[in-house]
Amino acid sequence: RRADHDRVHVGASDLVDATPEALAPQLAGSDVTGATLFPADNAPHTVVFRFRDDSGNVGSAPSSVTVSDGLAPTGALTLAPARAFPTGRLFVVSARISSSDNCGGVVSVRLVSIRSNAPWLDAADIVGASLGTDDRRFYLRARRGLWRRSRTYTVTYELRDLAGNVTRLVGRVVVGGGR
């Protein structure tokens, strides 16, 4: 987020100088400008407001600013291939994920789960997936479900921004059925 220091109303009084000069406020020792980015991490950050009188004396007072990011990151998930012919063999699935955060911070990605509509087969038919990590490549078995019905694998990823906001992305891979 950008600081809008023009909206901050601060003042100072001096026994000799009736109009002390406002200096740029500082964040971590650097001047705050209209282009200053405050971290949107839900934590307080100390801003020091400074004034200089006619004699060159500088007075300062600290305050704190907390930028709260209440919006979850956004993203999109594409699984390739999205359909597979039922050969009984393992095939590679690749996940393409795009993400962004309203505060411009880093968005972490983790694979949460892979489940199918034939869960009794999942332990043998989902191979090489590292749950809890940013795993975007794993193997699925091209096997149908019960009664030769299409089998649908549901893949879930989690996006998390620096403030801890979470978004879930869900994609599907279908084995069998129309191509």
Side-chain angles (χ1 to χ4, degrees):
R1 295 265 186 235
R2 284 189 162 57
D4 188 356
H5 71 279
D6 294 333
R7 291 186 182 188
V8 175
H9 300 285
V10 295
S13 61
D14 188 87
L15 292 175
V16 178
D17 183 357
T19 58
E21 172 191 7
L23 302 174
Q26 292 191 327
L27 173 68
S30 297
D31 288 353
V32 173
T33 69
T36 299
L37 295 174
F38 283 79
D41 56 5
N42 297 327
H45 297 274
T46 302
V47 177
V48 178
F49 294 92
R50 305 171 306 136
F51 286 84
R52 181 175 37 230
D53 66 14
D54 285 338
S55 300
N57 300 313
V58 175
S60 63
S63 186
S64 67
V65 173
T66 301
V67 179
S68 297
D69 177 5
L71 296 175
T74 58
L77 167 63
T78 304
L79 297 173
R83 298 191 78 77
F85 187 73
T87 63
R89 293 191 204 129
L90 290 172
F91 63 99
V92 176
V93 175
S94 297
R96 186 175 30 193
I97 299 170
S98 62
S99 64
S100 65
D101 184 51
N102 65 311
C103 291
V106 174
V107 176
S108 65
V109 176
R110 74 181 186 99
L111 176 60
V112 175
S113 66
I114 303 174
R115 295 188 177 108
S116 80
N117 59 345
W120 56 91
L121 299 171
D122 286 356
D125 291 355
I126 300 168
V127 178
S130 296
L131 299 179
T133 69
D134 186 0
D135 185 0
R136 300 184 195 199
R137 183 178 160 90
F138 46 85
Y139 295 89
L140 301 177
R141 187 164 312 278
R143 175 177 9 194
R144 292 183 198 230
L146 279 181
W147 302 291
R148 301 186 55 79
R149 288 192 179 148
S150 295
R151 184 168 180 195
T152 302
Y153 291 94
T154 301
V155 182
T156 305
Y157 282 89
E158 178 183 275
L159 305 178
R160 182 179 299 266
D161 67 15
L162 292 175
N165 301 307
V166 172
T167 296
R168 293 230 168 162
L169 303 176
V170 177
R172 289 177 178 71
V173 176
V174 178
V175 176
R179 285 191 66 90

